[in-house]
Amino acid sequence: MKKILLYSATLALALVFAGCTAENPISSGNSTPGETVNSSVTETSGTEAGTTETAAQTEVPTFTVSVEEAIQAYQDTVPDSDIISIELDSSFGNYFYKIEGVDDNKEYEVSVDAETKEIKGSREETLDRDEQNGVKRQEDQLDLTDLLSIEEVTEVAMNEVSGGQATDWDLEKEMNVTYWDVQIEDASKETNIKIHAQTGEVLEVEVDD
């Protein structure tokens, strides 16, 4: 009699366990292929959304006219002179390259539209006496060989900050080193990152709160 009752109880427990397993196949690890794909798609979509958001925060601006094309436009306008500075910034919502150069006796400034390559203005003036005869030309002439592009130096600069938008780019020279100065702005601060114009090495990071 005890053996029969024990067998009945064991059989009942087995049926209850089988019923629970059938009602909840996922908990037993036997999920259907459709459910696995859906879960994977959901996770992938979330990852993609996060990636898109991050990319938007560090979006690198692009300009129709490259810095090389702007340099060529300057040289076509003012031949036989050397460039001593390049600035790319906005004026009334439009971006312009402002390029300054010198020859032995004069200093020049040419503005080039960053979208159309149109010359928007130019001026010239005589150098001070102590800057003439090639003095300023030799001291301030930029090294324009193998320049990193605007997009490349912006990516380097973005790696130095946690967010924000690149707004200004200056190509300058100090202690015989030609470098890009990239300005990143966010809601609370401005950060200027100086980057070697040929190698991409970060030379200095300056934060203005």
Side-chain angles (χ1 to χ4, degrees), residues 31-39:
S31 57
T32 64
E35 289 169 331
T36 302
V37 170
N38 288 340
S39 176

Side-chain angles (χ1 to χ4, degrees), residues 73-84:
Y74 167 87
Q75 292 173 337
D76 290 343
T77 305
V78 190
D80 302 321
S81 66
D82 292 316
I83 293 174
I84 61 172

